[in-house]
Amino acid sequence: MPNPALAGDLSSVAEKRELACDIGLSVAVILYDPAKSRAGFFSLGGRIQDFADKAEQNLGTLLGKLSAMGSVLPTLECYLFGGNQKCLWQVSRLEKILKRHSLPVEVLDDVYGQVCRTFVFSPLKGTLSVSHLEEDANRWSPAASALSIEDGNRIFSQNAVTGKVANATRFFRERETFIGLREQVVPEYLQSKNSFPLLLWSAGCSSGEETYSYAMYLLRLQQRLKINFPFRIFGTDINRELLRDAQKGEYNIPREDLEEYGDYFRKFGTLSGQRITFGPEVREHVEFRPFDIRHHPRRRFRVIICANVFQYYNDQARIYFMNNFISASERPGYIFVNNFPAKLREPLGLEYFPKYSYSRVQ
Ligand SMILES: C[S@@+](CC[C@H](N)C(=O)[O-])C[C@H]1O[C@@H](n2cnc3c(N)ncnc32)[C@H](O)[C@@H]1O
């Protein structure tokens, strides 16, 4: 449930990539300093009588900590997020308090109506994602996110994902998949002397960071191996709005990522400060399309990556999607999914490579 003490965790936030909090049915206040990629938040349940006092107290703590860390009030952005019908009164109260402190408040779309949720906020990117959804508060349990295929379709395809509310993703996110490409998939593909391009499907690609990462990585691998093997990467998602961002090929790169992957960004894009525009060399290898993974794609792929999608779904949906991926896989082919436990994977009889978290389809 809402945990106002989280505001007190702020000193460690600067080093963290993500802030996570179960906000249940309440409204969360997020203060975000984009200049320093730093954020803190609080969320209050409780009685209407002392709500304003508690909110003032929490806000004071949060502002104090941010200011001690060098953030200054005029540069702070402030967002309100969440709250079911019964808690909507909190929005107007919080707005009043925040305005008194001269904080410019933006009320983010309450994406899914009356739901309990855990949110994950990335101070580095300024993105907010909902990691748990359940329409019936009484059945809500943080341990079980269990959307059916139909619910997932309805929720994720709604174009309600706007403004700062996005489905979190990052460049070069699942490291082992890149190592797997270098050590196993590409050498095997080259050995096969296949003239057909290596096709990779980034399923549930969100705003495309993942797709561009694989393109950059494979281009770099081509250069190292001095072999121009043909490849193409399809990024698909159910949310068209995210795909429009992906198609633009322009991103603000978090400082941390710039430090770690700067060579890639400098080589394959034009950097202006922290903003990258990917160039034609990368773009010609990627293609973005709307697609719901409950359908069968027409193509077959050597590699299917569906990262950080299964966590939202129930086991039945996960198995259904995985069977889809198996039938969309080349032979041999490799599938990466996370949040697919051994008890679901083993009955499918696929060879599993723990080092790369790839399942091999023969
Ligand atoms: C947390 S993001 C993961 C993005 C990226 N794969 C990564 O790991 O960084 C989850 C994405 O899955 C997409 N998604 C959820 N259900 C889907 C479905 N049934 N078909 C296609 N995309 C789906 C969401 O729209 C969202 O963009």
Side-chain angles (χ1 to χ4, degrees):
M1 275 312 285
N3 180 3
L6 280 166
D9 288 344
L10 196 70
S11 51
S12 55
V13 160
E15 287 79 47
K16 280 187 188 162
R17 275 181 169 268
E18 288 176 339
L19 295 170
C21 179
D22 294 340
I23 54 173
L25 299 169
S26 301
V27 178
V29 179
I30 301 168
L31 292 191
Y32 172 47
D33 179 350
K36 299 205 183 301
S37 298
R38 172 183 296 152
F41 60 86
F42 65 88
S43 165
L44 297 168
R47 300 176 316 150
I48 203 160
Q49 293 88 326
D50 51 6
F51 180 84
D53 288 345
K54 278 196 186 157
E56 274 286 3
Q57 253 173 25
N58 275 270
L59 183 64
T61 311
L62 199 49
L63 284 171
K65 294 216 172 208
L66 282 167
S67 132
M69 293 167 76
S71 294
V72 283
L73 199 72
T75 63
L76 292 180
E77 295 174 9
C78 177
Y79 301 97
L80 297 183
F81 173 70
N84 78 340
Q85 294 298 325
K86 286 188 192 146
C87 290
L88 287 184
W89 57 269
Q90 296 182 352
V91 173
S92 54
R93 270 161 213 243
L94 287 167
E95 270 181 323
K96 242 189 238 162
I97 294 169
L98 293 161
K99 281 185 183 147
R100 263 209 303 276
H101 286 264
S102 306
L103 285 159
V105 192
E106 191 180 326
V107 181
L108 297 177
D109 286 2
D110 189 354
V111 189
Y112 309 120
Q114 296 197 41
V115 294
C116 298
R117 58 178 77 81
T118 299
F119 79 72
V120 180
F121 182 75
S122 161
L124 291 173
K125 295 190 63 185
T127 57
L128 182 65
S129 71
V130 180
S131 66
H132 175 82
L133 306 162
E134 176 57 73
E135 288 203 299
D136 176 354
N138 297 323
R139 281 193 290 130
W140 181 62
S141 141
S145 46
L147 292 176
S148 66
I149 293 180
E150 290 71 30
D151 282 348
N153 173 285
R154 181 172 53 80
I155 284 163
F156 284 107
S157 60
Q158 278 170 4
N159 265 353
V161 182
T162 56
K164 292 273 167 184
V165 181
N167 293 34
T169 183
R170 303 200 281 276
F171 285 98
F172 296 99
R173 189 171 189 184
E174 303 299 335
R175 270 169 193 260
E176 69 265 43
T177 60
F178 294 90
I179 298 166
L181 282 178
R182 189 183 70 221
E183 293 185 355
Q184 186 163 16
V185 178
V186 170
E188 190 183 84
Y189 167 79
L190 292 175
Q191 249 178 14
S192 74
K193 303 212 172 7
N194 200 335
S195 58
F196 194 68
L198 190 147
L199 296 188
L200 195 146
W201 178 17
S202 156
C205 68
S206 187
S207 41
E209 284 88 332
E210 181 181 89
T211 318
Y212 286 103
S213 300
Y214 289 115
M216 289 191 284
Y217 191 81
L218 287 175
L219 280 168
R220 191 87 182 265
L221 204 56
Q222 278 188 340
Q223 287 162 359
R224 283 210 194 123
L225 299 171
K226 299 193 173 54
I227 306 174
N228 270 340
F229 56 86
F231 73 88
R232 191 148 194 83
I233 307 173
F234 292 85
T236 67
D237 201 280
I238 201 170
N239 188 296
R240 289 168 187 262
E241 198 162 324
L242 294 171
L243 290 171
R244 272 196 286 278
D245 285 346
Q247 257 142 5
K248 284 186 205 143
E250 292 176 9
Y251 297 92
N252 286 324
I253 312 283
R255 247 191 311 272
E256 233 176 75
D257 286 354
L258 259 187
E259 274 165 29
E260 199 165 350
Y261 308 112
D263 286 352
Y264 283 98
F265 295 125
R266 278 186 288 276
K267 178 140 192 58
F268 298 113
T270 310
L271 268 176
S272 165
Q274 283 179 244
R275 184 140 188 93
I276 189 168
T277 307
F278 282 113
E281 195 184 356
V282 178
R283 280 167 176 271
E284 74 181 33
H285 288 281
V286 301
E287 193 171 324
F288 293 99
R289 300 244 179 97
F291 191 81
D292 182 344
I293 55 169
R294 73 173 158 164
H295 299 307
H296 293 269
R298 267 191 242 127
R299 290 173 199 272
R300 288 195 164 212
F301 300 89
R302 172 73 60 146
V303 184
I304 300 172
I305 312 263
C306 184
N308 306 299
V309 177
F310 277 26
Q311 70 230 40
Y312 303 106
Y313 286 95
N314 63 23
D315 284 353
Q316 203 186 352
R318 293 174 195 194
I319 293 167
Y320 186 90
F321 294 149
M322 190 62 174
N323 278 318
N324 252 355
F325 293 153
I326 292 170
S327 58
S329 181
E330 281 180 25
R331 308 295 194 253
Y334 292 88
I335 301 174
F336 171 91
V337 290
N338 40 12
N339 307 100
F340 194 63
K343 71 167 186 206
L344 301 183
R345 193 183 63 239
E346 278 159 9
L348 299 174
L350 304 174
E351 192 180 355
Y352 182 64
F353 296 88
K355 182 176 176 194
Y356 313 124
S357 309
Y358 275 127
S359 294
R360 184 179 154 110
V361 187
Q362 274 294 6

